[in-house]
Amino acid sequence: DQQVKQNSPSLSVQEGRISILNCDYTNSMFDYFLWYKKYPAEGPTFLISISSIKDKNEDGRFTVFLNKSAKHLSLHIVPSQPGDSAVYFCAASDPSGTYKYIFGTGTRLKVLA
Amino acid sequence: GAGVSQSPSNKVTEKGKDVELRCDPISGHTALYWYRQSLGQGLEFLIYFQGNSAPDKSGLPSDRFSAERTGGSVSTLTIQRTQQEDSAVYLCASSHPPPIGRSEQFFGPGTRLTVL
C-alpha cells in the first residue's frame, strides 16, 4: 500500500519555463513533507520541506505547496534550468518516534535547453 | 565537512552468498537510517538506529537481513544467503535525533548490490 504517490514517472520542460511536480499521500497523520533531488550515482539531496501548519514554503526558485484537504503537495521550479534535470522524490516524515521518511517513487525531470 | 560515506560503492555477488554493506554517518549524528531503492521503485525504509539501538526494524524484508551499529557511529547492513530480488541500491542516511532531525536526513551515495 503506497502511502506516498508520485503518479508522473517523468516530465519534460523547456528551459526557463515552470516545472510542476505533484505528490499525493493517503495518511492524514502525516504532518511534515520534504522534496529530495537525486542525480545518477549520487545519494538524494534535500531540496525543500513544509510543515502541515503551512500551505506554502518558498526557497529561491523552489516553492512547495501543500493542500491538506486534498492530501496533495506540489513542487514548483521557476525558472527551470538544465541543471535541475534529476529525479525528484517526495517524502513524508512518519510522525511516530522514528520520523523515518516514506518516499514516493520519484519523477524524472528533464529540462530541455 | 565530511558527509555520509558508504562502502563498497558497487558489489556483485552470487546468489546464496552473504554480503556486508558499511555506512559511516556524519560525526555527531545519532540517528541513522537504511533505505533501499529497487529498480523502478521509491526509497524503501529498512531500519532506524538511535545510537546503537534499533527501535524500528519494521522495514527489514526478511530474517536474512540484519544490521548493527557500534560506538554510535559506523553501521553494517548484512544480507545472508542473497537472492536476486535483493538487487538494489542500498542507501544510508544520518541526522540529528528526532524530532530535530526530521527536518533533514543526509544521504550517502549508496551501495549498488547486484546478485547474479
Side-chain angles (χ1 to χ4, degrees), chain B residues 32-43:
Chain B
L32 187 147
Y33 304 79
W34 282 97
Y35 297 86
R36 74 174 177 182
Q37 184 182 15
S38 304
L39 192 63
Q41 302 296 312
L43 284 78

Side-chain angles (χ1 to χ4, degrees), chain B residues 5-80:
Chain B
S5 61
Q6 292 186 245
S7 60
S9 55
N10 279 284
K11 177 72 176 178
V12 180
T13 190
E14 293 179 347
K15 178 181 172 181
K17 295 286 180 69
D18 297 352
V19 295
E20 281 190 356
L21 312 179
R22 176 187 168 107
C23 172
D24 281 272
I26 291 172
S27 177
H29 280 186
T30 59
L32 187 147
Y33 304 79
W34 282 97
Y35 297 86
R36 74 174 177 182
Q37 184 182 15
S38 304
L39 192 63
Q41 302 296 312
L43 284 78
E44 172 192 16
F45 167 78
L46 298 177
I47 187 169
Y48 159 67
F49 285 92
Q50 178 53 45
N52 291 338
S53 64
D56 189 348
K57 306 178 183 179
S58 62
L60 295 178
S62 77
D63 59 8
R64 296 186 295 104
F65 287 72
S66 63
E68 64 175 14
R69 190 177 184 195
T70 55
S73 181
V74 171
S75 177
T76 303
L77 177 69
T78 301
I79 309 173
Q80 296 179 308

Side-chain angles (χ1 to χ4, degrees), chain A residues 42-44, chain B residues 3-6 91-94 106-110:
Chain A
E42 295 183 11
Chain B
V4 178
S5 61
Q6 292 186 245
L91 290 152
C92 174
S94 71
F106 296 80
F107 282 81

Side-chain angles (χ1 to χ4, degrees), chain A residues 48-79:
Chain A
I48 194 169
S49 61
I50 188 166
S51 164
S52 61
I53 62 173
K54 294 185 174 182
D55 54 18
K56 176 182 175 181
N57 190 26
E58 197 170 350
D59 183 2
R61 297 186 296 113
F62 303 91
T63 303
V64 56
F65 296 92
L66 176 62
N67 182 334
K68 290 185 290 293
S69 61
K71 297 193 185 70
H72 177 84
L73 63 156
S74 60
L75 174 69
H76 292 210
I77 307 173
V78 183

